């Protein structure tokens, strides 16, 4: 039965949550597979705006079972804050399942994240300071505490204390801010007991659901170029947002995925440091920030902006096995006189045939642009592809030509129904 995966194709904030919300109407399970509360996923329904960090974006449908998969790192204070906030707005989280194999984030991870960032000086990554990297580091060096540990409260308390004592030394070595070990232990013993009813063997739950012909959507956080392997290392996150990570982070197999949708903004944004070949540092970049409201959902930071880069998208098609693309925020370009799309990279005067393997090369890239005249009209309310202005359709065709896959959805505004779902292109079920 269909398993749909949704992944970001740029540096995050492509509008994944809006597309996931749209697709969730016909799903039984929506599963986060990596990342943590560094994600900020916004869904707008009428006058209501939901900014989700950990709970899958499908939660707004009462028919969906939201699942936090084994690949996620879970910050319990944020999880319960989010549950309380959603439930106060009449969105039930009672069906939520949290994988017993997901790793927990603790306050020492945040202290280490902050200490490492300040130690980097000018080489700052610009992390969200949520403790994501240090929590994944503990997972990989096999000293992490998994969510299922809360099922044995005494041993959980012992592990939290032991890890807190070890982490305190690491924080001191890094010159970071000490944690109050007793306070952390008390806080997490309470949070742990609250987590108990949500703990599940999600790997088997998802396989059983698949066998029972349920529909499953795998929700990516972050994006292809923030991927620890495929992104602009070291200016990346510490997980695999690419579709391979969806298999590892849920326990479903790669061949279970029937559709893999890449989400691309009609321009490009990035929060934090790192290379950005098509970046605009002039007033056009400011205009994208203003009209696109490009400020981080989680940290409030101003996002860097630039033109759409199809060299990146083409690479995202490769590393994710994308079946189709959702092109979001096309309406943000409504008032531009000219719209550019990067269709190639030149390095030292030579045209590259693929996306460079070494991210340091990106600093010297000369982007090659195709230019379109702006459509200078509002896309608001347009619901059919053929009703889009000619140059807006031309932009969509450039994306299809460069990536070799169809653009199946086009975003025309933040609201749930502001989207063109094309019926003239074929996508897997
Ligand atoms: P995500 O992290 O990929 O889920 O994206 P974010 O929620 O961080 O950022 C996307 C922002 O763009 C949110 O504020 C959305 O409400 C908004 N958005 C999504 N799709 C569209 C669209 O097609 N047009 C406009 N104008 N805004 C959109
Ligand atoms: P969503 O899911 C945009 C960026 C941070 C930083 C880098 C590493 O909303 O698209 P981390 O805290 O993960 O160690 O930070 O990754 N980053 C994001 N940028 N959208 C996100 O999530 C991001 N999550 C992390 O800004 O540059
Ligand atoms: Mg976001």
């Amino acid at each position: 039965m269909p398993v749909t995966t949704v992944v970001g194709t740029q540096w995050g904030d492509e509008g994944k949550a809006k597309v996931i919300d749209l697709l969730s109407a016909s799903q039984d399970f929506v599963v986060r597979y990596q990342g943590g509360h560094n994600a900020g996923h916004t869904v707008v329904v009428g006058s209501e705006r939901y900014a989700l960090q950990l709970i899958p974006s499908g939660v707004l449908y009462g028919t969906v079972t939201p699942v936090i998969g084994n690949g996620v790192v879970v910050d319990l204070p944020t999880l319960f804050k989010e549950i309380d906030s959603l439930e106060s707005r009449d969105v039930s989280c009672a069906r939520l399942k949290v994988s017993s194999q997901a790793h927990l984030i603790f306050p020492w991870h945040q202290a280490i994240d902050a200490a490492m960032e300040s130690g980097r000086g000018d080489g700052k990554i610009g992390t969200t300071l949520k403790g994501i990297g240090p929590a994944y580091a503990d997972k990989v060096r096999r000293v992490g505490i998994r969510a299922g540990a809360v099922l044995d409260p005494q041993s959980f308390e012992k592990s939290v204390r032991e890890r807190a004592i070890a982490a305190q030394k690491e924080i001191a070595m890094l010159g970071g801010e000490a944690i109050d070990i007793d306070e952390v232990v008390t806080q997490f013993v309470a949070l742990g007991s609250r987590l108990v009813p949500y703990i599940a063997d999600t790997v088997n739950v998802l396989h059983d659901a698949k066998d029972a012909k349920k529909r499953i959507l795998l929700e990516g956080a972050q994006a292809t170029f923030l991927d620890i392997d495929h992104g602009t290392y070291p200016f990346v996150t510490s997980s695999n947002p690419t579709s391979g990570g969806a298999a590892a982070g849920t326990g479903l197999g790669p061949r279970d995925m029937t559709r893999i949708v890449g989400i691309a903004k009609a321009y490009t944004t990035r929060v934090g440091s790192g290379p950005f070949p098509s970046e605009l540092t002039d007033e056009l970049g400011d205009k994208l920030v203003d009209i696109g409201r490009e400020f981080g959902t989680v940290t409030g930071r101003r996002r860097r902006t630039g033109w759409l880069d199809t060299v990146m998208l083409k690479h995202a098609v490769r590393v994710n096995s994308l079946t189709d693309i959702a092109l979001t925020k096309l309406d943000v370009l409504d008032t531009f006189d000219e719209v550019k799309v990067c269709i190639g990279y030149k390095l030292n005067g030579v045209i590259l045939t693929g996306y460079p393997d070494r991210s340091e090369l990106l600093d010297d890239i000369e982007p090659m642009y195709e230019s379109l005249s702006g459509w200078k009209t509002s896309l608001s309310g347009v619901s059919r592809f053929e009703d889009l202005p000619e140059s807006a359709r031309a932009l969509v065709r450039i994306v299809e030509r460069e990536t070799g896959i169809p653009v199946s959805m086009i975003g025309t505004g933040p609201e749930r129904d502001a989207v063109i779902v094309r019926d003239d292109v074929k996508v897997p079920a």
Side-chain angles (χ1 to χ4, degrees):
M1 273 309 278
V3 175
T4 300
T5 301
V6 172
V7 298
T9 61
Q10 296 159 324
W11 282 294
D13 305 322
E14 295 91 350
K16 296 178 289 294
K18 189 189 133 175
V19 174
I20 291 160
D21 171 71
L22 179 80
L23 296 173
S24 291
S26 59
Q27 301 296 328
D28 299 300
F29 288 79
V30 178
V31 192
R32 273 283 304 271
Y33 59 83
Q34 47 65 239
H37 63 314
N38 48 348
H41 293 178
T42 320
V43 180
V44 179
V45 185
S47 58
E48 295 288 313
R49 185 177 172 276
Y50 300 88
L52 303 159
Q53 288 179 253
L54 262 176
I55 307 225
S57 303
V59 69
L60 302 180
Y61 292 90
T63 47
V64 164
T65 299
V67 176
I68 294 181
N70 57 276
V72 176
V73 282
V74 183
D75 183 75
L76 293 179
T78 304
L79 179 72
F80 292 123
K81 206 169 129 202
E82 202 161 300
I83 291 175
D84 292 343
S85 156
L86 284 166
E87 297 206 320
S88 75
R89 297 168 79 181
D90 289 330
V91 178
S92 170
C93 297
R95 302 157 78 110
L96 175 72
K97 295 186 192 307
V98 178
S99 169
S100 53
Q101 292 164 266
H103 280 248
L104 298 179
I105 299 183
F106 290 92
W108 55 82
H109 293 127
Q110 277 129 19
I112 292 170
D113 200 351
M116 288 184 74
E117 274 291 83
S118 61
R120 286 184 185 112
D122 286 347
K124 266 189 187 30
I125 291 168
T127 76
T128 58
L129 301 177
K130 302 293 183 192
I132 305 295
Y136 275 117
D138 275 0
K139 171 179 174 173
V140 173
R141 62 179 174 161
R142 297 163 294 188
V143 296
I145 300 177
R146 306 212 284 186
V150 303
L151 299 177
D152 180 344
Q154 275 177 353
S155 117
F156 177 63
E157 179 171 350
K158 187 164 166 279
S159 305
V160 174
R161 188 172 292 282
E162 278 171 11
R163 286 306 310 151
I165 292 166
Q168 191 78 297
K169 292 185 193 138
E170 203 174 332
I171 295 168
M173 256 174 5
L174 292 165
E177 205 163 313
I179 51 166
D180 181 330
I181 295 177
D182 288 328
E183 196 180 293
V184 169
V185 172
T186 309
Q187 181 196 11
F188 275 78
V189 164
L191 291 166
S193 72
R194 196 176 165 191
L195 183 65
V196 169
Y198 297 100
I199 295 291
D201 171 4
T202 57
V203 175
N204 282 309
V205 165
L206 292 173
H207 277 280
D208 291 345
K210 190 176 71 83
D211 293 345
K213 306 210 178 311
K214 301 289 185 196
R215 296 179 69 97
I216 302 172
L217 187 146
L218 310 185
E219 170 171 359
Q222 291 81 51
T224 302
F225 293 91
L226 287 173
D227 185 283
I228 186 79
D229 286 281
H230 300 291
T232 46
Y233 193 89
F235 303 102
V236 291
T237 193
S238 298
S239 67
N240 288 115
T242 45
S243 60
T250 60
L252 291 168
R255 289 203 303 147
D256 291 329
M257 293 178 222
T258 46
R259 180 180 181 190
I260 305 175
V261 189
I263 315 300
K265 225 178 257 197
Y267 49 99
T268 310
T269 63
R270 152 160 230 173
V271 219
S273 322
F276 185 166
S278 67
E279 184 167 14
L280 286 164
T281 49
D282 57 7
E283 66 278 7
L284 286 177
D286 293 339
K287 190 170 168 177
L288 284 170
V289 172
D290 292 343
I291 302 178
R293 299 193 191 167
E294 296 298 350
F295 292 92
T297 319
V298 174
T299 57
R301 286 178 293 174
R302 184 188 193 278
R303 296 176 183 144
R304 298 157 64 195
T305 53
W307 295 120
L308 180 64
D309 182 339
T310 61
V311 181
M312 292 173 69
L313 298 194
K314 211 155 130 180
H315 197 62
V317 173
R318 286 189 158 178
V319 299
N320 293 293
S321 302
L322 299 182
T323 54
D324 53 304
I325 287 176
L327 191 68
T328 62
K329 303 189 88 163
L330 191 59
D331 56 292
V332 172
L333 301 172
D334 281 355
T335 58
F336 281 68
D337 296 323
E338 182 191 25
V339 174
K340 288 193 189 179
V341 185
C342 170
I343 51 156
Y345 283 176
K346 258 190 204 170
L347 184 65
N348 303 323
V350 178
I351 299 174
L352 301 186
T353 51
Y355 188 81
D357 56 338
R358 289 184 294 133
S359 45
E360 53 273 28
L361 298 178
L362 290 168
D363 292 331
D364 300 318
I365 289 294
E366 190 192 325
M368 297 155 64
Y369 290 108
E370 190 160 328
S371 172
L372 295 164
S373 51
W375 42 93
K376 310 277 278 181
T377 172
S378 169
L379 300 186
S380 172
V382 177
S383 60
R384 297 185 324 159
F385 181 64
E386 53 271 35
D387 294 338
L388 281 175
E390 172 47 33
S391 54
R393 274 183 284 149
L395 191 151
V396 172
R397 279 194 225 101
I398 292 173
V399 172
E400 293 185 326
R401 183 192 74 206
E402 294 299 317
T403 61
I405 59 169
V407 171
S408 55
M409 287 171 265
I410 297 159
T412 57
E415 309 77 23
R416 189 179 247 179
D417 56 358
V419 62
I420 297 171
V421 180
R422 288 177 69 185
D423 51 18
D424 58 324
V425 298
K426 217 172 137 43
V427 292

